[in-house]
Amino acid sequence: MAAALPPIQSVSIPHQSVRVPVLSKKDTLQENKVTPVKQGIAGLTDLDIARHRQSYLHNTSVALLEEGYVNSFIEIFSLVESQKMQRELAGKDSGHYYDPLLPAEPSKLETLAKHLGLAEKLQRQGKLAEVCSTLDKLAHECKQTDSWLSDHFYKKSLSISELIEGDEGRKLAESHKNLGLMHEYQDSLLQAIQDLEAYFKMCQRHGETWHTDHGENIMDDACEQLRRVYTKYADTLQTADPVAAIEYVQRAYDVIKLSSYIDKQAEACYLLGVAYREAKEYKTALKQFKSYHEKAKHNRDDDGVIHACDAVSDTYQLMGEFMRAAEYQKKILEASQRADINTAYTKACASLGGIYNRLGLYEESVTYFERSNEDSTAMNGGVSNVQFGVANAHHQMDNYLDHVLDYSVQTDLGIASFKDEHDGTINVSEDCTGSQDGEEDY
Amino acid sequence: MSLPAIPVNPLSNPKGTKSLCELCQQTATLQCPQCRVTFYCGDKHHALDWEGIHCKICPLLAPFRALSLSQPVGRTAQDRAAQERTDRLREIVELTLEEGRTLLFGGKHNLAVPAALQCLKFSKELYGTRGLDLVQPFLVLAEASIGLSRLGHAEEYLSQAKFSLIQPDKAKRTSQSELDLMKSKLNRIYGLLYLAQNQTHKARNAFANDIYLSSIANGTTHRLVAGGYFYLGNSFLKEGKSLVALPFHQLVIKIWIDFFVENITICQQDINAKEGISEKIEFGPSVQAESSETLKALLQHHSKRAYHFGDGALKQLLASLSMLYFLFRDSESAKKYAEDALQCDTMEYRDLDQILNSLANK
């Protein structure tokens, strides 16, 4: 059979048509030495190939263990497990059921491994303060995407900082602050308050020696953080439990009084006033607003003064004391003219107009509405225009009533002519006045 | 000690059958006087096999071989015979495997070889020549070979085990976690091989894989993972990084002490326990051998000042040794270690004191 096959044609290779670079015998030998006979696929070692086949979690764990970071390995493992368990507990309807798990997110695993490994290394060397900073950094990185991780690491950092000796608890205080801010971020405000209060107490003890990274006194920072959280918490309580809300606003004010932030103190004072006003305790509210006013005056803060006067005037209006309310609105006029703040001026004019309108002093009312209208035609659209119109109409109503009450032929004629020429515009008043003049002429 | 072997006459065999040595597959000249179904090439192999495994399985072998030779009539009788044969085979396989592991942990590598060979032989008879069930005996063989410094043989056995492991599991008898455990064991033995070859980097990688795989199957703090931590710690110790090794070994102690405390609690709660030891405890002599070897090695590291455990960890170590001896009915040693543990000057782990006191006073 083999003989029946056609002979394979020998392919003649033209000699010297392709120039092969000439190598000396020595060179080829060296080259052979460099490249081993069994090189594997594209220069990969067995370990590399295994790495490509295994899962991210597998590779991350192995890398950690190879370097000896056994605690980090266990921690990552337990985090993965707890995430799975949380998800199962929450059930399929929870909305987060189909979010990717940690093992499916290589970049997150990498971040975790990197920081935890570093932290473990530092811990081995006994540098606890740096361990805390590393954990804080990691927690900060997770804050946006996985707040549960962030929470976990801040707590861990807190527990480690408790072991630190020789820094008077500075690191512990910072850990409390971080955890507090984390809770605030997660909207668990009561826990945030607890942590920040702990931070505040520690700062109170060492307020004179500790400083923040920006060189400020740490006490200021502590007061401000606590004030913010108290205020936030009070906001959430406002509808449900106004009394408790007042208590927290009061606490915020008390705490900020210990700091050197004057503007924040004024703000807290104002908020306290607002809280009392919401609770219909007008007298107390008034006291707070007035004290806010004093503070603003003291700080030469025109905006603050305007704000304060506005609040005071508002409260007086609620109490029904309109003359006093008007008095404070006039103070706003002064202040806004001084500081050249148009919007405040216009607003104050409108408010004054409103107050006088309410009091039945239509003439003053028209004056102020007119001022407000002049300024605000561009800004305010039709609102002030309408107000001005209404006030004017009220004012003219007096005239009209006079004519009707003092009945005579002349007044009757006046009214008739007014009605004839009445064209529904604001000029009606002029007509009326015109006819009045006419009556006098008769 | 075994009875003297009796000579065999090859000519008296039926035609076509050849008696071969159990250990080396050479033509046999001796046979076991008790079961009369096991043959040896010489006294040396007879003695080795007897000490390693044959003393345990000799009484099981004769009826089993008789069963293989019998030819029952009728389908039900045949079925019953086949079933009995499989049952007995399985019994022998399990016994030999457990014995092999126990000998390995006890450091008797040369005795473990016959046990593993027997196990391999019967496994092949039971499951066929390829498949996942051969992995375990291959691994025992490999580990024994490493212990005997026959690294070439070890590598061969390991690749056999690896090959068996990648066979498709058609019957699906093996669950994923069992598979992971086998892989982890394979990695562990590879690690030991690399360690013996002084390739520490590869060894660390293998042990790391071992830890990961067994953690996947059972969680990170199961006693099956403890071996991986122990060896990885050892390889760091070998490189002189005692600070890195320390957390690994502390973890090993923690795993074992948790395991023992759990078992002691079971014993204390069981009213039917004889001499304080319950029947409910489910672990065999290989666990005993593993834990005692591991813990003793750790104690040795500590006393050689490779690193310093700290009083808390030392107390845990001594306490776990004490509990170990108690559970395996060596109350003298248990008492000694319990007293040592109580003398540790530490305020940590006060919860152990109650157990330790009861052990020390027994």
Side-chain angles (χ1 to χ4, degrees):
Chain A
M1 284 296 280
L5 287 170
I8 300 165
Q9 284 179 352
S10 61
V11 184
S12 61
I13 303 163
H15 288 289
Q16 292 178 348
S17 64
V18 183
R19 276 188 175 267
V20 182
V22 185
L23 292 168
S24 73
K25 209 172 185 181
K26 206 178 157 194
D27 284 340
T28 40
L29 272 177
Q30 271 180 346
E31 211 164 273
N32 279 343
K33 265 185 192 168
V34 171
T35 49
V37 184
K38 191 187 162 195
Q39 201 181 16
I41 307 161
L44 295 172
T45 64
D46 289 354
L47 293 185
D48 291 331
I49 295 170
R51 216 163 283 146
H52 281 284
R53 281 192 186 141
Q54 291 156 355
S55 65
Y56 298 121
L57 183 62
H58 192 152
N59 286 333
T60 316
S61 310
V62 168
L64 277 175
L65 285 167
E66 271 181 329
E67 295 300 315
Y69 301 131
V70 60
N71 294 329
S72 311
F73 159 71
I74 291 180
E75 184 155 7
I76 288 186
F77 217 88
S78 68
L79 284 175
V80 166
E81 290 295 312
S82 77
Q83 191 191 20
K84 257 189 225 165
M85 213 145 74
Q86 289 292 332
R87 195 175 74 149
E88 288 308 318
L89 276 181
K92 283 190 180 178
D93 305 329
S94 66
H96 293 293
Y97 191 81
Y98 297 103
D99 287 356
L101 289 171
L102 271 182
E105 293 186 281
S107 61
K108 268 184 207 168
L109 277 179
E110 206 174 295
T111 324
L112 285 180
K114 191 179 117 200
H115 286 93
L116 285 177
L118 181 63
E120 194 172 345
K121 192 176 172 187
L122 291 167
Q123 194 163 11
R124 219 180 272 156
Q125 294 165 355
K127 297 175 183 166
L128 291 181
E130 288 172 45
V131 175
C132 287
S133 325
T134 315
L135 287 173
D136 289 345
K137 215 167 128 194
L138 175 59
H140 185 73
E141 275 187 36
C142 302
K143 203 167 179 176
Q144 298 292 330
T145 47
D146 299 84
S147 57
W148 65 282
L149 281 178
S150 180
D151 193 42
H152 172 87
F153 292 123
Y154 277 132
K155 275 182 187 153
K156 195 178 167 199
S157 162
L158 179 69
S159 66
I160 289 177
S161 60
E162 277 170 3
L163 305 174
I164 298 178
E165 287 166 3
D167 70 341
E168 298 173 324
R170 174 73 203 266
K171 204 76 209 174
L172 182 62
E174 251 166 54
S175 295
H176 273 301
K177 175 185 165 187
N178 284 329
L179 196 57
L181 292 180
M182 179 66 218
H183 284 308
E184 187 194 346
Y185 183 78
Q186 288 174 328
D187 278 340
S188 24
L189 292 174
L190 267 179
Q191 279 169 310
I193 286 174
Q194 264 178 15
D195 285 309
L196 288 174
E197 273 174 355
Y199 170 56
F200 174 78
K201 273 176 198 155
M202 298 188 75
C203 291
Q204 236 174 352
R205 252 176 274 150
H206 303 276
E208 276 144 34
T209 46
W210 291 357
H211 293 277
T212 60
D213 297 340
H214 310 296
E216 296 164 10
N217 190 335
I218 203 157
M219 194 58 195
D220 285 353
D221 182 57
C223 294
E224 163 55 14
Q225 307 285 6
L226 202 51
R227 179 202 67 85
R228 199 187 53 246
V229 182
Y230 278 144
T231 315
K232 254 191 190 174
Y233 187 58
D235 271 356
T236 60
L237 283 180
Q238 211 160 44
T239 45
D241 187 355
V243 183
I246 289 178
E247 194 200 319
Y248 278 99
V249 181
Q250 180 74 51
R251 278 200 206 177
Y253 181 46
D254 291 345
V255 127
I256 199 70
K257 270 200 274 190
L258 299 173
S259 78
S260 58
Y261 292 131
I262 295 166
D263 47 342
K264 293 270 165 54
Q265 285 177 18
E267 195 187 326
C269 180
Y270 170 72
L271 284 177
L272 189 57
V274 170
Y276 277 120
R277 193 175 65 190
E278 295 286 324
K280 307 216 162 106
E281 294 184 27
Y282 298 126
K283 277 187 185 162
T284 334
L286 215 52
K287 208 173 107 197
Q288 295 303 335
F289 286 138
K290 279 182 180 164
S291 118
Y292 173 44
H293 184 205
E294 289 306 314
K295 280 192 174 97
K297 264 207 284 196
H298 183 252
N299 297 343
R300 311 227 167 120
D301 171 12
D302 287 317
D303 275 337
V305 170
I306 291 168
H307 208 155
C309 291
D310 199 31
V312 173
S313 152
D314 257 13
T315 317
Y316 272 129
Q317 283 187 53
L318 288 170
M319 291 164 80
E321 298 185 28
F322 292 100
M323 286 316 289
R324 290 210 172 145
E327 201 179 297
Y328 273 89
Q329 289 292 352
K330 278 177 189 159
K331 281 187 185 169
I332 297 181
L333 289 188
E334 274 172 39
S336 58
Q337 266 173 335
R338 197 170 54 230
D340 199 18
I341 305 171
N342 267 335
T343 43
Y345 181 81
T346 318
K347 229 178 120 199
C349 284
S351 305
L352 267 172
I355 293 167
Y356 283 124
N357 195 13
R358 184 104 184 236
L359 287 171
L361 302 171
Y362 299 121
E363 211 172 318
E364 279 91 343
S365 168
V366 170
T367 337
Y368 284 113
F369 273 136
E370 197 173 4
R371 271 199 222 167
S372 128
N373 192 26
E374 277 166 15
D375 280 348
S376 69
T377 36
M379 287 181 282
N380 213 351
V383 178
S384 63
N385 221 333
V386 171
Q387 283 177 333
F388 177 50
V390 169
N392 224 337
H394 278 140
H395 183 47
Q396 295 311 327
M397 187 72 96
D398 281 344
N399 273 335
Y400 181 73
L401 271 178
D402 286 345
H403 279 78
V404 175
L405 289 176
D406 302 339
Y407 182 74
S408 67
V409 178
Q410 283 163 342
T411 53
D412 209 22
L413 279 170
I415 290 170
S417 73
F418 157 65
K419 281 189 175 171
D420 281 342
E421 290 166 32
H422 176 261
D423 53 1
T425 61
I426 209 109
N427 297 332
V428 170
S429 57
E430 280 166 23
D431 284 344
C432 197
T433 345
S435 65
Q436 236 176 350
D437 293 340
E439 282 163 33
E440 280 158 15
D441 285 344
Y442 268 103
Chain B
M1 205 40 226
S2 65
L3 297 171
I6 51 173
V8 329
N9 186 358
L11 289 177
S12 66
N13 281 342
K15 199 179 175 188
T17 34
K18 225 178 177 182
S19 356
L20 298 176
C21 173
E22 282 291 323
L23 297 188
C24 62
Q25 308 295 313
Q26 302 288 320
T27 315
T29 56
L30 297 174
Q31 65 177 331
C32 172
Q34 282 170 333
C35 61
R36 287 179 179 259
V37 289
T38 326
F39 303 92
Y40 301 101
C41 60
D43 273 333
K44 208 174 156 193
H45 278 176
H46 174 226
L48 188 65
D49 191 34
W50 177 264
E51 208 181 326
I53 188 72
H54 196 69
C55 60
K56 298 266 165 68
I57 57 171
C58 187
L60 299 173
L61 283 178
F64 167 70
R65 293 271 156 95
L67 212 64
S68 321
L69 292 175
S70 69
Q71 288 175 337
V73 184
R75 175 165 276 191
T76 42
Q78 274 172 7
D79 283 354
R80 203 185 317 126
Q83 184 61 40
E84 202 179 334
R85 192 169 166 272
T86 349
D87 287 348
R88 294 205 167 214
L89 260 180
R90 191 164 289 139
E91 194 186 337
I92 295 174
V93 166
E94 274 163 21
L95 182 75
T96 45
L97 193 61
E98 180 74 19
E99 189 61 30
R101 283 182 185 154
T102 315
L103 288 168
L104 270 187
F105 285 120
K108 297 166 187 161
H109 298 106
N110 54 340
L111 295 180
V113 174
L117 279 175
Q118 290 289 351
C119 179
L120 188 62
K121 196 170 93 185
F122 289 110
S123 301
K124 276 183 180 166
E125 207 163 310
L126 181 60
Y127 303 112
T129 47
R130 43 164 64 182
L132 290 171
D133 301 283
L134 302 185
V135 174
Q136 303 280 15
F138 274 130
L139 288 178
V140 176
L141 271 175
E143 203 177 340
S145 308
I146 294 170
L148 295 172
S149 311
R150 291 182 202 146
L151 301 186
H153 286 185
E155 205 158 0
E156 214 167 286
Y157 287 129
L158 278 173
S159 25
Q160 296 243 37
K162 202 172 178 181
F163 179 72
S164 307
L165 204 53
I166 55 172
Q167 296 294 314
D169 180 20
K170 279 180 191 151
K172 303 263 181 229
R173 275 188 295 112
T174 324
S175 68
Q176 183 62 38
S177 69
E178 278 172 338
L179 209 62
D180 282 339
L181 275 182
M182 280 191 216
K183 280 185 195 163
S184 112
K185 199 78 208 281
L186 179 73
N187 271 305
R188 189 174 298 178
I189 315 264
Y190 260 118
L192 289 176
L193 176 68
Y194 292 138
L195 211 54
Q197 289 171 340
N198 271 331
Q199 302 191 45
T200 36
H201 182 68
K202 274 185 155 183
R204 273 194 277 160
N205 181 273
F207 288 134
N209 274 306
D210 163 29
I211 295 174
Y212 173 78
L213 287 165
S214 45
S215 301
I216 282 285
N218 287 314
T220 45
T221 51
H222 194 268
R223 75 175 161 80
L224 289 173
V225 198
Y229 292 131
F230 175 64
Y231 290 126
L232 190 50
N234 279 356
S235 63
F236 279 117
L237 211 55
K238 202 174 174 184
E239 288 177 59
K241 297 176 183 170
S242 53
L243 265 183
V244 186
L246 188 61
F248 283 96
H249 286 171
Q250 280 170 339
L251 193 59
V252 173
I253 298 176
K254 201 183 159 294
I255 290 174
W256 282 116
I257 200 158
D258 287 347
F259 177 69
F260 288 130
V261 166
E262 191 185 321
N263 279 299
I264 290 259
T265 326
I266 291 175
C267 286
Q268 283 170 347
Q269 283 165 355
D270 190 3
I271 312 158
N272 303 323
K274 286 174 197 162
E275 296 169 25
I277 293 162
S278 168
E279 301 283 311
K280 288 183 192 164
I281 300 173
E282 292 164 354
F283 52 87
S286 66
V287 175
Q288 176 194 10
E290 186 189 353
S291 56
S292 74
E293 282 311 304
T294 315
L295 294 171
K296 275 182 196 162
L298 292 181
L299 197 58
Q300 212 171 7
H301 285 317
H302 178 75
S303 55
K304 275 189 190 167
R305 297 180 191 280
Y307 44 63
H308 189 70
F309 266 134
D311 286 331
L314 186 63
K315 181 178 179 181
Q316 278 188 313
L317 177 56
L318 292 169
S320 49
L321 271 168
S322 162
M323 283 187 268
L324 164 75
Y325 281 115
F326 170 72
L327 285 171
F328 293 102
R329 296 193 163 82
D330 182 352
S331 48
E332 277 303 305
S333 308
K335 196 173 169 183
K336 189 176 133 261
Y337 281 115
E339 280 163 2
D340 285 352
L342 282 170
Q343 276 169 10
C344 283
D345 184 23
T346 173
M347 292 305 286
E348 293 171 276
Y349 310 112
R350 298 310 296 246
D351 45 334
L352 287 175
D353 283 359
Q354 195 196 342
I355 297 176
L356 285 173
N357 277 323
S358 73
L359 290 179
N361 295 330
K362 247 171 204 164

